Amino acid sequence: MSADDAAALVPHGANVGMSGFTGSGHPKAVPTALARRIERAHARGEQFRIGVWTGASTAPELDGALAKVNGVELRLPYQSDPITRERINAGAMDYVDIHLSHVAQFVWFGFLGHLDVALIEVTAILPDGSLVPSKSIGNNKTWLDQADRIILEVNSGMSTALQGMHDVYYGTRLPPHRKPIPIIAPGDRIGETTFRCDPAKVIAVVETNAPDRDTSFAASDATSEAIAGHILEFLGHEVRRGRLPPELLPIQSGVGNVANAVMAGLENGPFSGLTAYTEVLQDGMLNLVRSGRMVLASATALSFSADATRQFDRDIESLKTKIVLRTQEISNHPEVIRRLGVIAMNGLIEADIYGNVNSTHIRGTTIMNGIGGSGDFARNAYLSIFMTPSTAKGGSISAIVPMVTHVDHTEHDVQIIVTEHGLADLRGLSPKQRAAVVIGNAAHPSFRPALKDYFDRACRLSPGKHTPHLLDEAFRMVDPLR
């Protein structure tokens, strides 16, 4: 049926599990048609809003279209759309920010309420009723299993060669019946290449032919290249000390320009035989796979620029033997991350002198995107690295502050902080030792005197000397420092 007819089957108040993870694999037609329907209902004075559950961020024709018409009552678990963000911060949309590995199990536990509709993009429906995923898997398996009704968008614009790249695991159980996840190497396949689907639940099939959202990346600059250089030097040091093998350990990399610069550094660096166990495969990691530097990459989604998409589509037959796309609950599973010894590299908004990291909020109250998978990896990684330029807003804001205004990753989960000015290795250090290293190695030189002055006075005047703070000043200093 048409997208408009399918949208007519979604009622006001429904919780809708939609496919999509970092701009790939999201439904392209029905969300836009649903937004038009909601807009017409609002013009008639009728209430019409839905809950939107996804894998992660999507695209303007989903998040943006529905947010623009005020059609979303609650959003989870991660978003990056500017209109959605504006609605959330204005108090017009509720938002639940969740560790990405927790979403599927929370739905199975019944913690999030009932899932009414699954709206999933696939590339094909096979004769046995199974579904071929597109360029992301995310939480789609759970949406298909848990929803009462299913709407499928079959996107013929995706390569049929995607079939066989996916690994959909059906072995998870609820406590107390859980069993170990049988992955001992990044490339292990433990599931099926397609989604199971109950045909009785399918209420609509909509045909589309549309690309995923292109993810554009800025060219590497001196700052991102300096950060990458510090990380590569550190990894080489760890190899020489015998704490990492020559081929390193599986790499996880967050999204963004700095992350791509690190991948570019690895492509030109001394390491070979690399592997990845991550959630999103971006341009930089794809280049590593294409060059042969990386022999295997496991993820839950592909998020490429337009040029990288063309390269991927052209080389897909060879790449599909080196890339595994998994369900989100497995790509981000703490058990597997710890077993494999992943090297986790993620960005931040601000870090404080003791190593606490804020990756989601501005001034403690305004959400940016969400925690995503960074917490899944940081707490369970072999090495937990956070990287950022030392300043923002043209140098007027310091990324290193006395106390973060919101804590996403506590000092217990943060081992390494890297800026263009240096690398702060916090392993095995006491709080005061960490503060000295963060200020001395990671802070921008123009902000070091103020940070050092705060720390020195806190060491003298703080009631407790273990983690010295001047609580009446810590956040007040955000303004002059920022």
Side-chain angles (χ1 to χ4, degrees):
M1 65 178 69
S2 70
D4 287 316
D5 288 342
L9 302 175
V10 179
H12 162 64
N15 287 323
V16 184
M18 301 196 187
S19 61
F21 196 108
T22 321
S24 66
H26 58 281
K28 312 295 194 291
V30 177
T32 305
L34 182 58
R36 292 193 297 266
R37 180 179 170 220
I38 291 172
E39 187 174 34
R40 291 193 297 267
H42 289 175
R44 295 191 299 268
E46 301 171 7
Q47 289 189 343
F48 199 147
R49 301 180 81 195
I50 63 171
V52 176
W53 307 357
T54 64
S57 56
T58 61
E61 62 263 43
L62 196 162
D63 271 319
L66 290 169
K68 185 177 180 180
V69 299
N70 196 25
V72 181
E73 179 73 29
L74 179 140
R75 180 73 170 86
L76 65 86
Y78 182 91
Q79 56 75 39
S80 63
D81 179 77
I83 306 174
T84 298
R85 183 185 303 122
E86 181 181 352
R87 294 276 187 187
I88 293 168
N89 287 316
M93 182 190 302
D94 285 327
Y95 176 51
V96 181
D97 188 18
I98 312 176
H99 293 297
L100 296 189
S101 69
H102 288 178
V103 181
Q105 68 172 6
F106 278 13
V107 174
W108 282 96
F109 293 167
F111 291 176
L112 302 179
H114 188 70
L115 184 62
D116 300 290
V117 180
L119 173 52
I120 308 297
E121 178 184 270
V122 296
T123 62
I125 302 173
L126 301 183
D128 64 357
S130 61
L131 310 173
V132 179
S134 58
K135 290 184 178 178
S136 72
I137 293 185
N139 288 314
N140 297 351
K141 167 191 164 291
T142 298
W143 301 162
L144 292 166
D145 288 345
Q146 289 288 293
D148 294 333
R149 290 156 289 168
I150 296 170
I151 298 173
L152 299 174
E153 284 199 13
V154 184
N155 189 350
S156 60
M158 297 295 161
S159 171
T160 57
L162 283 168
Q163 186 171 351
M165 182 176 284
H166 311 91
D167 188 65
V168 185
Y169 182 57
Y170 281 92
T172 54
R173 297 290 183 271
L174 297 180
H177 306 294
R178 282 182 162 170
K179 296 179 180 179
I181 306 299
I183 294 177
I184 58 174
D188 286 350
R189 289 183 170 272
I190 60 173
E192 305 172 18
T193 58
T194 57
F195 295 126
R196 301 173 187 173
C197 180
D198 179 359
K201 296 201 297 184
V202 178
I203 59 172
V205 176
V206 177
E207 294 182 85
T208 64
N209 186 325
D212 283 329
R213 182 194 79 195
D214 288 332
T215 303
S216 59
F217 300 101
S220 295
D221 57 14
T223 296
S224 60
E225 290 173 359
I227 293 170
H230 294 312
I231 292 175
L232 291 172
E233 182 181 1
F234 169 76
L235 294 175
H237 172 266
E238 293 297 290
V239 171
R240 292 189 295 273
R241 292 293 299 270
R243 290 193 284 252
L244 285 175
E247 69 278 12
L248 305 181
L249 290 167
I251 293 167
Q252 178 264 334
S253 176
V255 298
N257 295 322
V258 174
N260 263 313
V262 174
M263 295 303 107
L266 286 170
E267 186 175 0
N268 299 315
F271 310 109
S272 60
L274 298 170
T275 60
Y277 196 85
T278 189
E279 54 188 2
V280 180
L281 201 70
Q282 293 191 136
D283 287 24
M285 199 170 283
L286 177 65
N287 291 338
L288 284 170
V289 174
R290 293 179 66 246
S291 71
R293 286 277 186 174
M294 182 170 283
V295 297
L296 193 288
S298 170
T300 193
L302 309 174
S303 183
F304 298 143
S305 67
D307 286 343
T309 296
R310 286 189 287 271
Q311 294 169 358
F312 174 83
D313 290 341
R314 185 187 65 224
D315 301 335
I316 190 170
E317 289 294 348
S318 62
L319 290 172
K320 68 190 296 183
T321 65
K322 304 172 186 176
I323 297 172
V324 182
L325 293 183
R326 306 183 188 277
T327 56
Q328 179 173 326
E329 61 184 319
I330 301 300
S331 70
N332 289 49
H333 202 292
E335 175 195 345
V336 181
I337 293 166
R338 180 167 292 194
R339 180 183 299 125
L340 297 181
V342 170
I343 300 171
M345 295 181 282
N346 290 285
L348 57 80
I349 291 174
E350 62 182 4
D352 68 28
I353 59 177
Y354 295 112
N356 300 290
V357 165
N358 168 20
S359 59
T360 61
H361 284 72
I362 302 297
R363 295 178 183 267
T365 63
T366 301
I367 190 77
M368 284 297 291
N369 299 332
I371 195 168
S374 58
D376 299 324
F377 286 92
R379 174 156 288 189
N380 300 285
Y382 180 82
L383 286 173
S384 173
I385 301 172
F386 282 89
M387 50 198 182
T388 180
S390 62
T391 62
K393 301 293 185 184
S396 63
I397 298 174
S398 176
I400 307 298
V401 296
M403 179 183 283
V404 290
T405 56
H406 178 90
V407 180
D408 291 293
H409 311 282
T410 74
E411 59 190 279
H412 310 292
D413 301 330
V414 179
Q415 297 175 340
I416 314 291
I417 295 175
V418 191
T419 72
E420 74 275 23
H421 293 288
L423 182 146
D425 185 349
L426 310 182
R427 294 173 295 175
L429 301 185
S430 70
K432 291 193 290 292
Q433 290 171 330
R434 288 198 296 267
V437 171
V438 170
I439 294 171
N441 289 14
H444 191 281
S446 64
F447 291 102
R448 282 178 190 164
L451 291 165
K452 189 174 185 306
D453 175 69
Y454 171 85
F455 177 59
D456 289 344
R457 288 187 297 108
C459 286
R460 296 194 309 271
L461 303 175
S462 174
K465 307 302 183 186
H466 175 64
T467 307
H469 264 306
L470 303 176
L471 295 179
D472 58 338
E473 291 189 29
F475 294 124
R476 198 161 30 139
M477 287 186 66
V478 169
D479 285 328
L481 280 177
R482 295 171 70 82

